Amino acid sequence: MLGYHHPLEIAKRYGTLDLVSGGRLVLGVGVGSLQDEFELLGAAFDGRGAIADDALAALRASLSVPTPGYSGPHFSYRDVVVEPHAVQPRVPLWVGGRTRRSLRRAVELGDGWVPFGLPLEELRAMVDGTTLPAGFDVVL
């Protein structure tokens, strides 16, 4: 869940995993929908979609470089070192969800969508009504 962690924490953790796996990481992320979990962790529940969008952009800027920098509406940093970092030039980011908004987020900011809990016809209508970029994965 993107709202539970700072993007640099995620970049460090999963950059290391990408390195030790020989560049085979596919990172699955989500926005979250259980308010009690956010409250337990002291994370903001309201506005979590915008925070997740910014976190995805920050991850894109940070996963595969040793000295990332980013400035966005919720996260901003520079002059940091992330070592080890991901060895893939672009770590695939798969966004989970079951709403049109999650599909939009995946198409705009990710490399794949991992839908869950959707009837096949609803899933088909969502995917058919969306222009998917080349190489985009829908993971069932």
Side-chain angles (χ1 to χ4, degrees), residues 93-110:
L93 300 175
W94 288 357
V95 178
R98 58 181 178 217
T99 63
R100 289 193 184 279
R101 185 176 296 163
S102 70
L103 177 55
R104 182 233 11 117
R105 179 174 289 112
V107 166
E108 291 178 6
L109 302 168

Side-chain angles (χ1 to χ4, degrees), residues 11-112:
K12 172 64 175 166
R13 232 178 257 137
Y14 290 97
T16 300
L17 184 58
D18 189 58
L19 175 71
V20 300
S21 72
R24 295 184 307 225
L25 175 69
V26 175
L27 181 56
V29 299
V31 173
S33 60
L34 300 175
Q35 186 168 356
D36 289 346
E37 288 181 2
F38 281 81
E39 289 173 1
L40 179 69
L41 296 169
F45 183 77
D46 293 336
R48 68 192 182 283
I51 293 169
D53 287 352
D54 197 38
L56 279 166
L59 277 172
R60 224 6 121 212
S62 304
L63 271 166
S64 301
V65 295
T67 54
Y70 179 77
S71 182
H74 299 279
F75 302 100
S76 183
Y77 47 86
R78 61 184 173 87
D79 300 326
V80 297
V81 175
V82 176
E83 285 292 349
H85 61 278
V87 296
Q88 294 180 79
R90 181 181 171 101
V91 172
L93 300 175
W94 288 357
V95 178
R98 58 181 178 217
T99 63
R100 289 193 184 279
R101 185 176 296 163
S102 70
L103 177 55
R104 182 233 11 117
R105 179 174 289 112
V107 166
E108 291 178 6
L109 302 168
D111 302 290

